[in-house]
Amino acid sequence: MEVWPAIDLRGGNCVRLLQGDYGRETVFGNDPAAMARRWVAQGASCLHLVDLDGARDGRSVNQAAIAAIVQAVSVPCELGGGIRDRETIQQMLDLGLTRLVIGTKALKDPSWFHEMCSAFPGRLAVGIDARDGRVATDGWLSVSDVPAVQLAQEISREPIAAIIYTDIARDGMMNGPNFEAMEQMQRAVGVPVVASGGVTTAEDVRQLAQRGLAGCIIGRTLYEGKLTLASALAAAAAT
């Protein structure tokens, strides 16, 4: 199972939000490239980047910080947040990102997403963020009536790289993932599912691996030193 350390960007800084609430932000550093080098030095083989400003505003905002990260490390980096048109997809891939995570636009405009998947096969992942099993959009500011698993099954027919599944209620709270929801999602589709939200301990990582998840994203617990990346990587490899 892959372990993806998260670098969440807002205003050029590395931050974390509680449950996606822009009013509950903690800044962990003002040099995203240095943060990327730190995680790679500790063994990270991939990095998960989020443009929080982009997710909220619907357009790419932290491009300078993203470019600096990609130039600073030689591991695959994926990016989500504010990627809602073909021009932005091409620009971000041209920066050297391995894949892009499309969220709101994939839900709101399935025909556009189908066209993008055909144009960029294997380079797009789908970010499905859910609250109480229902899909949330627009930087988690809106919750739809669409069941997350139903959307995943429909969208996994496309040539996507993965599904990034986030349980908003667990995100940043450090009280463990929603194991059942994550396992249900992975069992429901034939594409890799990466679990996001609430991963706090090495045991959390081990359980996700045992339940068949393809990967997990880890954020706040790494930044606060409550879980080391070495421990997380060891747990992921133990199954």
Side-chain angles (χ1 to χ4, degrees), residues 30 38 45 59 63-64 67 71 83 105 107 109 115 132 149 156 160 163 165 169 183-184 204 215 230:
N30 60 5
R38 169 186 169 184
S45 60
R59 58 183 177 83
Q63 190 165 335
Q71 293 167 12
I83 303 167
K105 191 65 181 286
L107 171 63
D109 194 345
E115 181 181 343
D132 298 324
V149 169
S156 64
I160 59 175
I163 289 172
Y165 187 35
E183 182 177 5
Q184 180 188 26
D204 290 343

Side-chain angles (χ1 to χ4, degrees), residues 31-234:
D31 188 341
M35 190 68 74
R37 287 192 294 267
R38 169 186 169 184
W39 296 134
V40 171
Q42 293 181 21
S45 60
C46 48
L47 295 172
H48 175 77
L49 317 181
V50 181
D51 184 343
L52 290 170
D53 298 302
R56 182 187 57 192
D57 299 341
R59 58 183 177 83
S60 179
V61 176
N62 287 283
Q63 190 165 335
I66 294 161
I69 290 171
V70 173
Q71 293 167 12
V73 298
S74 57
V75 303
C77 297
E78 67 179 15
L79 170 72
I83 303 167
R84 299 180 190 175
D85 59 65
R86 182 173 185 145
E87 182 181 5
T88 301
I89 291 173
Q90 191 65 65
Q91 287 176 349
M92 293 297 108
L93 291 177
D94 287 347
L95 287 180
L97 290 157
T98 300
R99 67 191 191 192
L100 304 176
V101 184
I102 313 295
T104 295
K105 191 65 181 286
L107 171 63
K108 292 188 172 181
D109 194 345
S111 62
W112 172 86
F113 187 67
H114 172 74
E115 181 181 343
M116 292 305 99
C117 287
S118 298
F120 304 97
R123 302 299 299 276
L124 304 180
V126 181
I128 299 181
D129 307 328
R131 190 186 298 277
D132 298 324
R134 301 286 173 171
V135 175
T137 61
D138 301 298
W140 299 351
L141 300 177
S142 304
V143 179
S144 73
D145 293 327
V146 180
V149 169
Q150 176 185 316
L151 174 64
Q153 289 174 328
E154 292 172 357
I155 220 157
S156 64
R157 302 188 186 106
E158 303 287 354
I160 59 175
I163 289 172
I164 316 299
Y165 187 35
T166 303
D167 187 308
I168 297 172
R170 304 297 181 102
D171 188 73
M173 301 305 290
M174 297 198 301
N175 58 2
N178 186 335
F179 294 109
E180 292 73 21
M182 296 300 162
E183 182 177 5
Q184 180 188 26
M185 178 65 76
Q186 182 63 87
R187 290 180 178 274
V189 298
V191 299
V193 174
V194 178
S196 176
V199 180
T200 306
T201 66
E203 180 58 28
D204 290 343
V205 176
R206 188 175 295 108
Q207 283 201 42
L208 288 171
Q210 290 174 344
R211 289 169 182 256
L213 275 296
C216 68
I217 294 167
I218 309 180
R220 179 176 290 271
T221 191
L222 289 178
Y223 287 90
E224 295 190 354
K226 297 181 179 180
L227 172 65
T228 67
L229 183 55
S231 297
L233 292 169

